[in-house]
Amino acid sequence: MMKSLFGKIFLWFWLTSILLTVASVFIAVFLTGTPVLRQWASNFGDLYSRNVVQSYLLGGDAGLDQFLTSTEQAREIQTTLFGPDGERIRGGALTPFQQGLLEEARASGRTECRIRLAWQCAAVVDTPRGKFVVVGRALHPRRMVRQLPLSAVLTRAMLILLFASGLCFALARYIARPVEVLQHATRRIAAGDLSARAAPALAPRKDELVSLAEEFDVMAARIEALMQSQRQMLGDISHELRSPLTRLRVALELAEGGDAEAMKRMNADLQKLEQLIEQVLTLNRLDAGEKWVELQSTNLETVLSEVVRDANYEGRARNVSVELKAEPLTIKANPALLKSCVENIVRNALRYSPDNGRVEVEERAVSDSTGRVGHPQWVEIRVRDHGPGVPPEALPRLFEPFYRVAESRSEKSGGRGLGLSIAQRAAAVHGGTVEAKNREGGGLEVLVKLPVRS
Ligand SMILES: Nc1ncnc2c1ncn2[C@@H]1O[C@H](COP(=O)(O)OP(=O)(O)O)[C@@H](O)[C@H]1O
Ligand SMILES: [Mg+2]
């Protein structure tokens, strides 16, 4: 039990509460004025004396006789009663010790008791007929002890102990439970069950331990999603590799049969394969994160005009023109990655533009409301086309690897759905973002936001 957190907390709180109880009882009994036993004896003596006087006042000698002989308590106590004028009404002469006790009681006005050698009490009882005095001596002090409410005290102590144990148990469980739940979830994850979560088992509780469980769940969810996307990616790659390979085999057989066309197709398929593998490798490298990317001062306008020049060259066949609006801006970036980011987006715009269409590329610096004038914190690169745009439900998925809108999939000329995911990750390693939205007048607008870092 001491090895578990629950056991430790329980034991410590339990011991503490018991020690505290014992200590407070000790203080109450021994360090404050009246010892409990004497207090009890005094209360008892007080009550007894009143009864004696009462029975005398009500029934005279006969009433007193009746009380002293028929009451069990009274038979155990040797009783002396003095009247208001000091005359002895009942009992024998007082011993010097009793005399002293009587003087004390008279002086203090309270019931005085001594319980050391024998149990003796002296009490002054005020009545309308004057002050009576009762002096009593227990004939069998041991029997008196038995009348002490010890059992009641013990039951009360047991009850307190039980109550304290219950509280300690509840407290220990309360503290240790999130830890147990977390431990359980961790074990399940370690055993390969990535769907294990901790926080739901603790709802609706809220505290630091539950926050810890929630953060654990976020971590677990992230790992699960990552594993899932890796698996998906592997499947997609294999799938994409299979069809060109099948075509290559068919073409190879045709070429063996002397088909010259087949050689050309083989070449094209090999090129596609090469491109695909290149893209997958790029994506993989970008996923590894920022630390592998070398940044240098890069003139954004130069990169953009290179991309636009190439795109214009490609667009000539369908008379699509690409226009650039840019101002000279230098940012910390990796020129090759930046170029491939913009290139992938501009290529798409070009591909989905209608013949004789126009693509606009615009670059501008923006500063936050907090930014000092003339010190841009962000650059925005917008690429707009006049094509069909994408269905709204597809917008959030455009940046997933291998995702293509259904219509593009049947299109032979289409890519493999890696372009935008590469663009997004390339922006991400620069600390930037890429978003896409449909334009009001038709066509897609893709916005790249990059931080300006010096
Ligand atoms: N400018 C655009 N206009 C319309 N659809 C687009 C545009 N850009 C991208 N898309 C859609 O987004 C999908 C993903 O784009 P991308 O990742 O570049 O893959 P790919 O170009 O290889 O198909 C495309 O298949 C296409 O359906
Ligand atoms: Mg593309």
Side-chain angles (χ1 to χ4, degrees), residues 344 347-348 351 415 419-420:
N344 275 305
R347 279 249 167 81
N348 283 347
R351 177 182 299 151
L420 283 181

Side-chain angles (χ1 to χ4, degrees), residues 320-325 342 345-354 357-364 380-389 435 437-448:
V320 179
S321 65
V322 184
E323 286 164 17
L324 174 64
K325 248 193 264 169
V342 182
I345 297 167
V346 173
R347 279 249 167 81
N348 283 347
L350 204 62
R351 177 182 299 151
Y352 297 101
S353 277
R358 189 161 48 90
V359 172
E360 293 138 33
V361 180
E362 188 192 331
E363 169 245 315
R364 67 192 184 105
E380 292 184 346
I381 304 165
R382 266 172 232 272
V383 180
R384 303 194 190 94
D385 63 50
H386 296 269
E435 293 159 29
K437 64 171 190 205
N438 287 311
R439 300 174 60 209
E440 298 224 331
L444 195 74
E445 169 174 318
V446 181
L447 169 66
V448 183

